Amino acid sequence: MIMGTSKALGFQEQENFTQYKGEVTDASSNKPLVFATLSVEGTNISTITNTEGGFLLKIPNSMTDGTLLVSFLGYKSKNIPIAQLKPNRNKISLVVSVTELTEVNINAPKDAAALVKETLARKGDNYFDDPTLMTAFYRETIKKRKRNVSLSEAVVNIYKSPYSSLRRDAVELYKARKSTDYSKLDTVALKLQGGPFNTLYVDIMKYPEYIFSDGLIEDYRFTFSRSTRINDKLIYVIKFNQLETISEPLYQGELFIDVDQKTLTSAIYTLNITDKVKAAKLFVRRKPAKVDVWPTEVAYRVDYREKGGKWYYGYSNVLLEFKVDWDDKLFNSVYSMTAEMAVTDWEKNLTGQLPKSRDRIKKSIILSDEAIGFSDPDFWGEYNIIEPEKSIESAIRKIQRQLRRARSKEGNSAP
């Protein structure tokens, strides 16, 4: 169990729960909705759909008379009685929410940059103002071209400080596992340094200095784009791009801001990698002398959730794609590294207690070096996680088979 106020958040250890599986799709096209949010109303229990629209949600049996809220940006939310859910087959379809232009024009602000600055300034009013202890599921994947070669997953505790505080969040590793096929990594073993911090720092409202620090915000142009709805709330979509006069690699993307509360609900953005040398210096810490490593895509996403009139960090992901050029090889290699983290439960940390220094994850952590392997079939127990994609599940099985064969050969050849 976790020390202090952490009680393996989510559910009491002895409480029975039911596991529900399914998918969330667009009602018209039947296409999967990626990163849709599913939460049990009146509780802190939630999860996110994966890149195939699939979900897995574990709910205590004491809450079966409750309601499941399913929401997705730009769609009408749906409330479903938990009693109507089936354990293994739940297809949930959402309908696009149409926004009337007249509704958008009423009291619409004229200055997009001013709205962004006001939103950032009001984080102390609109976001969690108490220390909070969160349970989150974290996953990082490495692919060589389109083939999965490494997967690491963890359940972590996030000791979140108030959004109005300058204190940084602390992270504690609770459970972790990994599977890696090193034979597909050439002689370069790509590793993602920072682990969960890569996703935690995408929380723009808590860490604006990584994208919109006081000085840098003047280096962007902000403009109003379309408007939409999320959870029946009217949302402004604001586009931002770095000014043409700025040479340093900054960001471009979209901010989704609640009209009434002036609250950031989501952000989707990418890094300008036009100058690949400068961009590479931001990410490549160490490499062989005869190898050049260039980023070809760097993308981010963060989503916030609301409870009791206050918003909090709910989900984020980071995509890093690199091209690896060898001096003595005809063909290059293309790798992509994906990290994502979803908060699946939380409670107020009224004592403000933090994990002991020895239990904290360091910002230099390489999770794939810390994880213990896929040996325990009941590893995750009652914890809510992001449902694995079929491709990842397949990759795990293949990687495990290859590792078993390799170990078998090593054992047979031993003297």
Side-chain angles (χ1 to χ4, degrees):
M1 296 300 296
I2 306 173
M3 300 173 61
T5 57
S6 175
K7 56 177 177 55
L9 279 174
F11 321 116
Q12 297 294 334
E13 179 115 353
Q14 302 302 320
E15 185 168 6
N16 294 324
F17 63 90
T18 299
Q19 177 175 289
Y20 301 95
K21 279 188 167 187
E23 62 178 336
V24 180
T25 61
D26 179 294
S28 299
S29 66
N30 205 37
K31 292 182 178 179
L33 296 181
V34 180
F35 310 141
T37 300
L38 301 96
S39 57
V40 180
E41 280 197 327
T43 77
N44 307 328
I45 299 170
S46 62
T47 192
I48 296 284
T49 58
N50 63 18
T51 56
E52 295 183 348
F55 70 86
L56 181 151
L57 184 62
K58 298 172 183 178
I59 302 176
N61 292 338
S62 61
M63 298 181 183
T64 53
D65 59 345
T67 302
L68 180 68
L69 175 65
V70 186
S71 60
F72 186 75
L73 190 66
Y75 286 72
K76 293 182 179 179
S77 300
K78 180 173 285 189
N79 293 289
I80 304 171
I82 294 173
Q84 293 182 8
L85 296 175
K86 301 173 183 177
N88 294 313
R89 290 186 300 171
N90 297 281
K91 186 169 183 178
I92 302 170
S93 299
L94 300 184
V95 177
V96 173
S97 177
V98 179
T99 303
E100 297 292 338
L101 292 177
T102 54
E103 186 179 10
V104 177
N105 291 333
I106 296 175
N107 298 322
K110 306 301 181 186
D111 188 338
L115 177 59
V116 172
K117 291 177 182 178
E118 181 183 359
T119 299
L120 294 172
R122 293 183 62 178
K123 64 181 181 180
D125 302 326
N126 295 333
Y127 295 81
F128 274 8
D129 51 5
D130 291 315
T132 308
L133 179 57
M134 296 176 164
T135 292
F137 175 70
Y138 172 78
R139 171 190 289 153
E140 60 185 50
T141 308
I142 299 177
K143 292 184 179 182
K144 183 179 178 182
R145 298 202 180 271
K146 295 184 178 181
R147 302 179 69 180
N148 289 293
V149 295
S150 179
L151 172 67
S152 302
E153 298 177 312
V155 170
V156 298
N157 290 322
I158 304 172
Y159 291 76
K160 203 104 171 82
S161 61
Y163 276 82
S164 56
S165 169
L166 295 178
R167 182 194 293 268
R168 296 198 159 223
D169 304 325
V171 182
E172 181 181 36
L173 184 65
Y174 180 56
K175 292 184 176 183
R177 63 181 184 175
K178 70 175 179 180
S179 188
T180 304
D181 185 353
Y182 291 103
S183 68
K184 290 188 175 65
L185 285 172
D186 294 328
T187 54
V188 176
L190 267 72
K191 296 183 178 181
L192 183 61
Q193 189 173 34
F197 288 102
N198 288 293
T199 47
L200 187 60
Y201 289 162
V202 185
D203 180 356
I204 293 176
M205 295 306 299
K206 179 64 179 174
Y207 302 103
E209 63 270 22
Y210 289 115
I211 180 171
F212 295 137
S213 63
D214 290 340
L216 285 181
I217 200 167
E218 304 301 333
D219 294 338
Y220 289 96
R221 177 184 295 106
F222 297 92
T223 57
F224 285 105
S225 182
R226 67 193 188 282
S227 295
T228 185
R229 282 189 171 275
I230 183 170
N231 293 352
D232 299 322
K233 297 178 181 294
L234 187 60
I235 304 293
Y236 286 123
V237 182
I238 296 180
K239 287 184 177 292
F240 63 94
N241 292 275
Q242 70 181 86
L243 299 174
E244 292 82 356
T245 55
I246 305 300
S247 60
E248 293 301 312
L250 298 181
Y251 301 90
Q252 61 184 16
E254 295 181 327
L255 305 174
F256 298 79
I257 297 179
D258 180 279
V259 172
D260 296 323
Q261 292 184 299
K262 306 298 188 296
T263 305
L264 182 71
T265 63
S266 295
I268 301 172
Y269 54 102
T270 60
L271 178 69
N272 176 7
I273 55 172
T274 304
D275 188 329
K276 63 180 185 179
V277 175
K278 288 184 178 179
K281 289 180 179 179
L282 297 174
F283 298 99
V284 181
R285 294 285 180 265
R286 189 168 63 246
K287 65 178 181 63
K290 294 184 177 181
V291 178
D292 286 323
V293 182
W294 312 112
T296 56
E297 183 179 2
V298 181
Y300 303 87
R301 174 179 180 139
V302 61
D303 295 322
Y304 296 89
R305 300 175 191 153
E306 181 189 22
K307 184 173 176 62
K310 294 286 186 178
W311 293 77
Y312 65 99
Y313 164 77
Y315 173 82
S316 62
N317 68 47
V318 181
L319 169 65
L320 308 173
E321 187 175 271
F322 295 93
K323 182 179 290 185
V324 179
D325 289 325
W326 292 81
D327 288 349
D328 55 353
K329 289 187 179 181
L330 182 61
F331 300 103
N332 57 48
S333 299
V334 177
Y335 290 94
S336 62
M337 309 173 76
T338 304
E340 61 180 335
M341 186 159 67
V343 172
T344 58
D345 200 8
W346 57 265
E347 65 181 15
K348 288 186 177 181
N349 182 11
L350 296 179
T351 64
Q353 182 174 343
L354 296 172
K356 294 180 180 179
S357 297
R358 67 172 180 268
D359 297 324
R360 296 189 188 194
I361 294 177
K362 294 181 172 59
K363 296 178 183 65
S364 59
I365 186 176
I366 297 175
L367 182 64
S368 59
D369 289 346
E370 301 287 335
I372 58 176
F374 284 86
S375 57
D376 184 358
D378 299 319
F379 191 84
W380 300 112
E382 73 271 31
Y383 291 96
N384 276 305
I385 64 172
I386 305 172
E387 175 75 339
E389 290 85 348
K390 293 176 184 175
S391 59
I392 287 181
E393 289 180 313
S394 175
I396 290 171
R397 288 194 293 270
K398 290 178 181 177
I399 290 171
Q400 286 179 307
R401 283 198 298 269
Q402 286 196 305
L403 291 177
R404 280 197 298 269
R405 287 196 204 102
R407 288 169 185 153
S408 177
K409 289 180 180 179
E410 290 171 1
N412 293 333
S413 62

